[in-house]
Amino acid sequence: MGVDMRSRGAVMAGVMVALGVAVGGCGPVNEATFSGEDSAVPQERVDELNAQLRLLPSLEATVDDYRRMGDAIAREISGITPTVVWRPHPTAGDDETSCGGEWLATDGRRVMLQLWISDSPIPDSDWPQALEVARTAAAAKDITFQSTNRDRPADHDVAFTNSAGAKVSLGSETAAVLSIRTPCRLPADAGSPSAVNP
């Protein structure tokens, strides 16, 4: 894409703002239930949660599944707005972290996937349709709690979360950013099934 150095600097500044929002969502509050991580979870509950995780697809299978979801969202938004051309963020790769909320003490992990970014923002005229694409894809994974950080002309940042820690965020200002975080899952070597469920 022919972007001069001055406009590329503006694009990257916008991406860094969006990055702050996307990464900032990994803090100590469970966005869907607003339960903090500072209260101790009884060991019996931790054991119960670990048992639940063992019945779910592995972290690796979930990462693959959520990456496919992100690719599908990106393709569909580009179909709505051909000027939005997505690419992986060149330096922000997948980031594996501990789980949040009451899942913090479990053996589970979650992954913030490498960002999808576009040097061209989503036009305001197409924003509602693009947001609906993200909302529909998130809802298919039971990621339904919506929070809006910003939603004004040429400046949008909306996230969908659930109580398992999954998150889908779509933002558009000087650039467009799609970020996705998996729910809490056990790594394959911890013995969870490899089959993929939403």
Side-chain angles (χ1 to χ4, degrees):
M1 211 181 256
V3 181
D4 64 34
M5 290 308 288
R6 196 173 324 163
S7 60
R8 180 166 292 281
V11 164
M12 289 315 294
V15 168
M16 293 315 291
V17 168
L19 262 171
V21 171
V23 175
C26 294
V29 174
N30 179 318
E31 298 93 332
T33 61
F34 298 100
S35 59
E37 293 174 350
D38 51 0
S39 56
V41 178
Q43 186 59 46
E44 296 78 11
R45 178 60 177 158
V46 172
D47 293 343
E48 179 184 335
L49 293 172
N50 274 324
Q52 290 177 21
L53 289 173
R54 282 192 287 275
L55 300 175
L56 297 170
S58 70
L59 177 64
E60 293 82 357
T62 303
V63 164
D64 290 343
D65 187 36
Y66 275 59
R67 201 182 312 281
R68 286 191 295 271
M69 174 178 64
D71 289 341
I73 292 171
R75 276 195 310 274
E76 197 166 341
I77 291 175
S78 292
I80 295 165
T81 308
T83 56
V84 174
V85 179
W86 300 98
R87 60 186 172 85
H89 189 276
T91 59
D94 291 353
D95 183 24
E96 183 178 317
T97 65
S98 58
C99 298
E102 66 175 349
W103 302 86
L104 179 64
T106 69
D107 299 327
R109 305 286 289 172
R110 61 186 180 184
V111 174
M112 177 69 78
L113 299 181
Q114 184 174 28
L115 299 174
W116 290 258
I117 62 172
S118 166
D119 293 341
S120 297
I122 300 167
D124 284 339
S125 58
D126 293 333
W127 172 257
Q129 196 174 351
L131 182 61
E132 187 58 33
V133 168
R135 178 186 289 111
T136 300
K141 303 284 185 197
D142 197 30
I143 308 169
T144 56
F145 180 84
Q146 180 175 333
S147 58
T148 302
N149 188 47
R150 297 184 310 279
D151 195 10
R152 52 185 180 251
D155 186 10
H156 308 278
D157 180 28
V158 178
F160 303 93
T161 57
N162 69 13
S163 59
K167 184 174 186 178
V168 175
S169 294
L170 184 64
S172 182
E173 190 182 6
T174 57
V177 179
L178 170 65
S179 69
I180 294 178
R181 185 178 66 212
T182 71
C184 188
R185 294 289 186 265
L186 289 177
D189 58 11
S192 56
S194 59
V196 173
N197 295 322

